[in-house]
Amino acid sequence: MTNLQIPPEAIVSTSSTKPIELYVFIDPVCSLSFDLQPILRKLQVEYEHYFTLRIVLSTRLSTLNSLCKNDSINDDDFTHPALPSVAIKAAELQGKRAGMRYLQKLQEQLFLDTKNVATYSSLLSIAEHANLDIEEFKSDIQSKEATRAFQCDLYISNEMDVTESPSMVFFNERIEDEGLKVCGVYSYEVYEKILAEMLDIELNRQEPPTLDELFLRYHTLSTKEVASIYGVTNYAAERELKKRTLLQQLERIPLGDTNQWRLKTYTK
């Protein structure tokens, strides 16, 4: 954990009065970044009233020149190491929520469905699954705006000296104070403690939404995530999730030592 200053390029004007700015640096195709997802979701559910969130893509690449020089992406098998990240930035041009939906769906395809997400055709398919405007996405993924947005993320990563994915950087509302950088993945309690120390208050935990509302927001959750968010046993969480499977509301995806559950209306 180290201290640092926020670079001017990372400052986004906002009318929010939330006292903490939370920057989350991820490589979207890195499994450790996917492992951070349950922690980040629980922070949002319990303490989102304290912070605004910005996702920064910190994929490590030697150069973007080959992508920048490609004038037209028409080959369905076209691939480039930067393409998934540029696709996420293209999705964000349709709005922050659209970008988050796209990122979530891309990681699901990669880590849950074990599909290739590095080709143009696969990224178009993900855009369809994320309910994006496909023609707009096709235009945006080839645009200078999407490439520049990704390059800006890489610049911010460099300025904040972020060399690991994932990493979190916490800034409070006092501009003169340094931020706190946390590299890697720790237990949820570590991030909770950092939030409380930076605010210098006893945290007020929000009540979680209903299970149906939770799935409308995140679409795919594990048994462990649900149990953690609601403070119940894995057995109790699994029982409620199985009920919704029987009602054809969710589908079960076995994964390692837990199950993932996906909203069926979100599956294509």
Side-chain angles (χ1 to χ4, degrees):
M1 300 183 188
T2 56
N3 294 331
L4 71 166
Q5 297 289 341
I6 184 169
E9 290 76 8
I11 298 174
V12 179
S13 61
T14 175
S15 58
S16 171
T17 58
K18 296 179 183 178
I20 297 292
E21 291 276 354
L22 177 55
Y23 289 76
V24 180
F25 294 80
I26 66 165
D27 181 341
V29 297
C30 169
S31 60
L32 277 178
S33 291
F34 189 62
D35 291 341
L36 183 66
Q37 187 181 93
I39 294 170
L40 188 58
R41 287 175 172 179
K42 189 173 181 181
L43 280 173
Q44 288 179 305
V45 167
E46 295 189 340
Y47 301 119
E48 196 171 32
H49 51 300
Y50 290 125
F51 65 86
T52 56
L53 172 68
R54 179 172 178 180
I55 300 292
V56 182
L57 303 182
S58 58
T59 309
R60 290 299 163 195
L61 300 167
S62 59
T63 180
L64 288 175
N65 289 341
S66 61
L67 181 64
C68 296
K69 290 178 180 177
N70 193 299
D71 296 324
S72 180
I73 302 175
N74 295 314
D75 183 355
D76 283 350
D77 292 327
F78 176 84
T79 185
H80 185 278
L83 201 54
S85 295
V86 174
I88 294 167
K89 305 314 287 189
E92 286 180 0
L93 294 175
Q94 296 188 34
K96 183 178 179 180
R97 290 184 179 180
M100 289 297 290
R101 287 200 312 273
Y102 190 88
L103 170 60
Q104 177 178 299
K105 192 62 180 177
L106 184 147
Q107 291 185 313
E108 285 178 23
Q109 293 271 312
L110 178 60
F111 297 113
L112 302 186
D113 300 329
T114 62
K115 293 182 179 179
N116 181 11
V117 298
T119 65
Y120 179 59
S121 58
S122 65
L123 295 168
L124 283 184
S125 176
I126 292 169
E128 292 178 354
H129 291 183
N131 298 319
L132 300 187
D133 182 312
I134 299 302
E135 292 307 313
E136 185 176 343
F137 179 79
K138 286 180 179 179
S139 174
D140 288 338
I141 197 173
Q142 301 181 60
S143 70
K144 291 181 180 179
E145 287 77 8
T147 303
R148 285 171 180 166
F150 177 43
Q151 289 173 323
C152 181
D153 277 13
L154 295 180
Y155 176 79
I156 292 169
S157 299
N158 184 62
E159 286 297 295
M160 291 194 188
D161 195 28
V162 173
T163 58
E164 291 184 43
S165 293
S167 294
M168 283 192 192
V169 181
F170 296 77
F171 291 98
N172 63 30
E173 56 190 343
R174 296 185 296 274
I175 298 176
E176 67 277 7
D177 288 354
E178 292 184 327
L180 179 65
K181 180 171 63 178
V182 185
C183 300
V185 180
Y186 294 85
S187 69
Y188 178 77
E189 290 73 23
V190 170
Y191 302 101
E192 192 176 35
K193 183 178 180 182
I194 291 171
L195 197 58
E197 289 180 350
M198 292 201 72
L199 290 167
D200 196 24
I201 62 171
E202 182 177 345
L203 297 179
N204 179 26
R205 184 181 290 112
Q206 292 185 135
E207 288 297 316
T210 66
L211 189 57
D212 292 335
E213 290 170 338
L214 192 69
F215 271 95
L216 283 174
R217 178 170 186 178
Y218 295 119
H219 304 297
T220 303
L221 295 138
S222 70
T223 301
K224 289 180 179 179
E225 280 184 272
V226 172
S228 176
I229 287 172
Y230 293 102
V232 298
T233 64
N234 286 348
Y235 175 80
E238 191 107 346
R239 184 175 57 190
E240 289 300 315
L241 292 162
K242 285 180 177 177
K243 289 179 183 177
R244 284 163 171 78
T245 304
L246 294 174
L247 294 171
Q248 298 293 304
Q249 296 173 351
L250 302 176
E251 67 166 338
R252 183 174 69 91
I253 307 170
L255 185 70
D257 62 347
T258 187
N259 288 316
Q260 292 277 343
W261 307 82
R262 180 157 56 198
L263 193 67
K264 291 204 74 171
T265 54
Y266 186 61
T267 307
K268 294 186 181 181

